[in-house]
Amino acid sequence: MHSTSAFASGFLLIATSAAQAQTSAYPTRPIRAVVPLAPGGGTDTVARLVAAKMSEQLGQQMVIDNRGGGGGIVGTDLVAKATPDGYTLLMGSITTNAVNPVLYKKLPYDHIRDFAAISMIGTVPNVLVVHASLPVKSVKEFLAYAKANPGKVSYGSSGVGSATHLSMALISSMTGVSMLHVPYKGAGAAVADVLGGQLQALCSSLAGLLPHIKSGRVRALGVTTSKRNPQLPDVPTLAESGMAGYEVTIWYGWFAPAKTPVAIVARLNTETVKALNSNDLKDRLTLQGLDVGPSTADELTAFVKAETVKWAKVVKESGAQLE
């Protein structure tokens, strides 16, 4: 009996030592960073910039894996069910980790229980833009035009119930203006069609739209945050433009599958904070309109819970609901 107990204790000690050695050596191979949306949108842009900097620091590549589909559900589920060893991460966002859980009646994962929060990346406004040919230069003129042409002004989104959709749905519910919603499988496709003139309007991440605003291919009318963005100081907020109380903030954060070793989560948090505090990455993200804001893992967990409550109210008011 004593020898059996000693053997079990010895085996446990060896297994524990092996696990600790594996954790301390992490990472020993490339890390897959899943972006659960199509290429070209704000989530993709931010993920690629952060992953490139972290690759330098970690000495291993962080490889972006775009897994679009289901408004972000496909890629998010892939990470939820991945081996919790630190080699598969999720670039989560307001869409995947706050809106979808209250929009869909049933998801194949629990957005709190099945993930280990690592760190917040930062926040960015959505910005309401119109194709340059639309004869409007302000939110007030846009709403008047849409009201005079009910159901004829089309706007795109990265999917039903996405933040890009709900940003516009909130405008409609606050103003009573009827517009035609055209959902896409990702923000990139919606951006392409508003650039091409197939869509009249879009309210999407500043990170994905800023280059096109600067080039003049689309016209920015208003930002969705409570304060103006330094990258677009002359563009008013929607709240300033007659919609008092309007505020939508897009956010991004790293998540790992639940049960990922605490030491690995801590290492990834440390490397994320270090990357975001580096002047070169911070400058590049700021140029994309992002307000850089790393956090602790616990802070991100608490934030996600608060955002879930907030968006449950918006989804209910908008009437959006998916199976």
Side-chain angles (χ1 to χ4, degrees), residues 229-295:
N229 188 275
Q231 292 300 310
L232 297 172
D234 297 329
V235 177
T237 67
L238 288 172
E240 280 182 83
S241 304
M243 283 178 279
Y246 185 104
E247 183 178 5
V248 176
T249 302
I250 308 305
W251 55 265
Y252 307 101
W254 283 130
F255 296 84
K259 298 182 181 177
T260 297
V262 174
I264 288 179
V265 171
R267 173 78 191 281
L268 287 166
N269 175 272
T270 298
E271 295 297 339
T272 301
V273 173
K274 180 182 176 182
L276 294 174
N277 283 331
S278 65
N279 289 333
D280 57 338
L281 178 60
K282 185 181 286 187
D283 289 347
R284 294 186 74 183
L285 289 171
T286 299
L287 285 172
Q288 296 294 327
L290 191 85
D291 183 7
V292 176
S295 72

Side-chain angles (χ1 to χ4, degrees), residues 160-206:
V160 174
S162 64
T164 49
H165 173 209
L166 292 178
S167 293
M168 291 297 282
L170 199 53
I171 292 174
S172 291
S173 68
M174 290 179 73
T175 63
V177 172
S178 173
M179 292 178 277
L180 176 64
H181 174 217
V182 183
Y184 290 76
K185 290 184 178 180
V191 170
D193 274 5
V194 78
L195 291 174
Q198 288 89 351
L199 294 174
Q200 280 79 50
L202 179 67
C203 193
S204 190
S205 166
L206 180 58

Side-chain angles (χ1 to χ4, degrees), residues 116-131:
I118 296 171
S119 173
M120 176 76 89
I121 302 298
T123 60
V124 65
N126 267 350
V127 56
L128 173 62
V129 301
V130 294
H131 186 261

Side-chain angles (χ1 to χ4, degrees), residues 52-127:
K53 184 63 179 179
M54 289 181 67
S55 294
E56 294 175 16
Q57 296 174 185
L58 291 164
Q60 291 286 348
Q61 283 294 112
M62 287 188 73
V63 182
I64 299 297
D65 183 4
N66 291 94
R67 292 296 183 101
I73 294 173
V74 173
T76 305
D77 187 45
L78 184 154
V79 178
K81 293 177 171 57
T83 303
D85 56 7
Y87 289 98
T88 303
L89 306 181
L90 172 74
M91 176 54 77
S93 68
I94 180 177
T95 299
T96 57
N97 292 70
V99 174
N100 282 352
V102 296
L103 181 70
Y104 289 85
K105 292 181 179 178
K106 189 175 182 181
L107 289 175
Y109 53 82
D110 183 295
H111 75 298
I112 302 293
R113 185 191 64 224
D114 294 339
F115 293 94
I118 296 171
S119 173
M120 176 76 89
I121 302 298
T123 60
V124 65
N126 267 350
V127 56

Side-chain angles (χ1 to χ4, degrees), residues 10-63:
F11 180 79
L12 180 61
L13 183 62
I14 292 170
T16 301
S17 298
Q20 288 174 343
Q22 187 178 18
T23 299
S24 62
Y26 172 88
T28 58
R29 54 189 169 87
I31 298 168
R32 176 168 60 160
V34 175
V35 174
L37 297 165
T43 308
D44 183 60
T45 301
V46 170
R48 289 178 186 279
L49 289 172
V50 177
K53 184 63 179 179
M54 289 181 67
S55 294
E56 294 175 16
Q57 296 174 185
L58 291 164
Q60 291 286 348
Q61 283 294 112
M62 287 188 73
V63 182

